[in-house]
Amino acid sequence: MDRLPKCGANYVPLTPLTFLTRASKSYADRTSIIYGGVRFTWSQTYERCCRLASSLRSLNIVKNDVVSVLAPNIPAMYEMHFAVPMAGAVLNAINTRLDAKNIAVILKHSEAKVFLVDYEYLEIAKKALELLVADFERSKTSKMPMPLVVVIDDINSPTGVRVGELEYEQLVFQGNPSYVPEEITDEWDPITLNYTSGTTSDPKGVVCSHRGAYLSTLSVILGWEMGTEPVILWSLPMFHCSGWTLPWGIAARGGTNICIRSTTAQEMYTNIVSHNVTHMCCAPIVFDILLEAKPHEYKPITTRVQILTGGAPPPAPLLEKIERLGFHVVHAYGLTEATGPALVCEWQQKWNKLPSENKFKLKARQGVGILTLADFDVKNFKNVQSVPRDGKSIGEICLRGSSIMKGYFKNDKANSEVFKNGWFFTGDVGVIHSDGYLEIKDRSKDVIISGGENISSIEVENAIMRHPNVAEVSVVAMPHFKWGESPCAFVILSKNSEIKEVDIIDHCKSNLPGFMVPKKVKFVEELPKTATGKVQKHHLRAIAKTFVISEKLNQTGKNTLSSL
């Protein structure tokens, strides 16, 4: 074996950029992007990406420089997933729902050299840049230059809303169509810098590699059983975990990207029907938008649309409702640090024979590791050993594989906390069933400990969601003078519903063990959420702490805080 030749020309670093090159040759005349009245083919998309990469290089962008973008799901956002790394740079797609302060923090921390801004977000970008200037002036030590701003005008407008010296389409037009993309010599080089949503901590910069992006992309299109020529509706923000790697994946399949600026019910239904959409991705919150569409917004779906969902565990009753409309849901679990999906609930044919309720409970599981993930496990909090596969023993979800991030940018402390013994510790709590399928039970900080019993807030939420009058729910720990903690439910009712707290509690008593039944139900109009749609439970816990005071006063018959 020692005489075998070395890899030589057979070794080509893995990168998802090869998917676009392939699409431009194999699917040259197929439609790559539809956005309102704008259409491109794959050969055109490849040329536009080459031109943009060429222009970025002319702006002195060099290897590993960060290029930030603040934009919705428009063609420019899609193109930058290829053009920026084709210039040798690293793409930092910023969450459009962040405030100016957080955008400024990201621009500073990422050391962005260029900042591309969609015309819709010019005002908030301007405020962020003003904060950045003020911060530099205060510190008087930073030598970092301000990022060069490029405005993305409305490509559908004949006149545009031209602002500033540099404009996106101008950069594309001026670029070299024969530009040769920067060669990727090391597949571990960074391709993206994505910032976490900060559900349980401050946002952190996640560095993903070309290799990780390539492997994750293959896993998603294989796990989702995506054939050639899919038509995807971009209901998932591309800034969220690089659109779960599907900007690269649709190129790999020679598909068509339907770009939309917002996820309103009318815009989604109209585009699904008009363009015969076959695939879409979204967090479960989008299900509610589709389900609550008004009569003039809704259009009947004649062909089944495949939905990949994740971001928050969808309750089984919600999955059942959305599938009645003509959607077929595949549930995945992932996180920014895993370069998108890490687990997928692969469906087994034998489950088709099960009663409907059982099927949707199975579909709500997070599933098994994607094909290119080396391994996943659930480990005991105390001894870091694998928990029994009994569907009951809880522990922290851990992942291993090349698709896991390289690490947090400029954050050695956080890296040392999540990488241990060759595993990435997610901070999520789960169980593994006897069939090997994983099911999330909570974030580690969201487990409710009542009288020594661990209560999964997700399990309580699932039970409450089975009530016909409940639209949304979030359950958190409420301090309890006897049990330490008890469940507290914040509930959004369906339209025109008139039920009382006792109705929800009685419903829970019929569906849950006594110790899991919420001691308090609070009806609310909305739930506090992160910019990616995840419920901010720490805000709810702060509110829940105020409830225990009144409950304890009622129990003791006293009314002074000193008596507590």
Side-chain angles (χ1 to χ4, degrees), residues 217-518:
T217 302
L218 289 183
S219 289
V220 171
I221 60 180
L222 285 168
W224 206 6
E225 299 181 350
M226 178 183 281
T228 57
E229 300 186 65
V231 179
I232 188 167
L233 176 69
W234 275 105
S235 49
L236 172 77
M238 290 188 215
F239 63 67
H240 187 40
C241 298
S242 301
W244 298 354
T245 73
L246 282 163
W248 303 305
I250 301 304
R253 297 279 71 196
T256 300
N257 298 275
I258 310 300
C259 292
I260 56 176
R261 294 190 74 90
S262 60
T263 51
T264 62
Q266 186 167 5
E267 190 157 9
M268 286 191 286
Y269 278 118
T270 298
N271 279 280
I272 288 171
V273 174
S274 299
H275 302 298
N276 295 316
V277 166
T278 61
H279 293 75
M280 58 187 287
C281 302
C282 64
I285 188 174
V286 176
F287 293 170
D288 294 319
I289 297 173
L290 292 166
L291 288 166
E292 294 176 7
K294 297 175 181 177
H296 72 277
E297 298 172 329
Y298 172 76
K299 290 183 183 295
I301 299 171
T302 56
T303 57
R304 178 164 284 194
V305 179
Q306 305 283 340
I307 291 187
L308 186 66
T309 190
L318 185 59
L319 291 177
E320 189 171 5
K321 289 178 184 177
I322 198 69
E323 292 215 346
R324 290 196 202 115
L325 293 179
F327 298 97
H328 176 71
V329 180
V330 174
H331 186 199
Y333 163 77
L335 55 169
T336 309
E337 292 88 340
T339 321
L343 307 173
V344 62
C345 190
E346 292 185 359
W347 193 253
Q348 299 187 26
Q349 294 299 318
K350 62 182 180 181
W351 293 344
N352 289 326
K353 300 177 182 178
L354 296 173
S356 178
E357 183 177 353
N358 292 25
K359 284 195 290 187
F360 286 107
K361 282 182 179 179
L362 288 169
K363 186 165 283 195
R365 291 181 185 177
Q366 282 62 39
V368 295
I370 58 173
L371 288 171
T372 55
L373 189 72
D375 201 1
F376 71 96
D377 200 4
V378 173
K379 295 184 178 293
N380 185 284
F381 299 110
K382 295 180 180 179
N383 56 26
V384 200
Q385 298 297 311
S386 300
V387 302
R389 298 193 167 200
D390 55 11
K392 297 179 180 178
S393 302
I394 67 170
E396 185 167 354
I397 299 170
C398 306
L399 308 171
R400 292 180 63 235
S402 296
S403 56
I404 305 303
M405 67 171 178
K406 294 184 68 176
Y408 295 119
F409 186 47
K410 298 189 295 189
N411 199 334
D412 292 338
K413 180 178 182 295
N415 288 329
S416 65
E417 292 171 351
V418 298
F419 287 111
K420 302 172 187 175
N421 301 322
W423 289 89
F424 169 67
F425 284 71
T426 65
D428 288 322
V429 175
V431 300
I432 296 184
H433 293 271
S434 58
D435 58 6
Y437 278 61
L438 183 145
E439 182 180 359
I440 284 185
K441 288 297 181 181
D442 242 321
R443 289 289 299 176
S444 57
K445 294 183 179 181
D446 295 334
V447 173
I448 302 165
I449 304 175
S450 183
E453 296 281 357
N454 289 335
I455 299 174
S456 161
S457 66
I458 293 173
E459 196 168 340
V460 181
E461 289 165 359
N462 283 339
I464 295 174
M465 276 298 297
R466 287 197 287 271
H467 193 288
N469 297 103
V470 172
E472 274 189 81
V473 62
S474 185
V475 173
V476 298
M478 178 179 75
H480 193 281
F481 65 94
K482 182 177 181 181
W483 304 116
E485 292 180 339
S486 61
C488 174
F490 292 83
V491 173
I492 298 177
L493 294 177
S494 302
K495 293 179 180 178
N496 303 319
S497 296
E498 294 183 4
I499 59 173
K500 299 179 180 179
E501 179 182 25
V502 66
D503 298 317
I504 299 295
I505 292 176
D506 287 345
H507 169 78
C508 290
K509 288 179 179 178
S510 302
N511 292 276
L512 292 169
F515 72 94
M516 295 180 72
V517 174

Side-chain angles (χ1 to χ4, degrees), residues 70 99-101 103-104 107 115 117-134 146 149 151 163:
L70 184 68
D99 59 20
K101 180 181 178 181
I103 293 172
L107 290 173
F115 184 26
V117 183
D118 178 78
Y119 71 92
E120 187 179 341
Y121 300 97
L122 283 175
E123 284 303 313
I124 195 167
K126 182 181 178 182
K127 292 177 183 177
L129 291 168
E130 289 172 352
L131 291 172
L132 197 58
V133 169
M146 291 290 291
V149 178
V151 176
V163 179

Side-chain angles (χ1 to χ4, degrees), residues 153-184:
D153 284 345
D154 185 2
I155 197 172
N156 270 310
S157 171
T159 56
V161 288
R162 179 69 185 279
V163 179
E165 293 301 316
L166 289 173
E167 195 276 327
Y168 182 85
E169 288 299 322
Q170 182 184 23
L171 287 184
V172 172
F173 177 76
Q174 292 177 348
N176 180 7
S178 300
Y179 170 80
V180 178
E182 283 292 299
E183 183 181 0
I184 307 302

Side-chain angles (χ1 to χ4, degrees), residues 50-62 87 114 148 166 170-172 174-176 179:
C50 285
R51 286 177 177 272
L52 179 59
S54 168
S55 288
L56 288 173
R57 295 289 292 179
S58 70
L59 296 175
N60 296 319
I61 291 297
V62 298
V114 175
L148 184 65
L166 289 173
Q170 182 184 23
L171 287 184
V172 172
Q174 292 177 348
N176 180 7
Y179 170 80

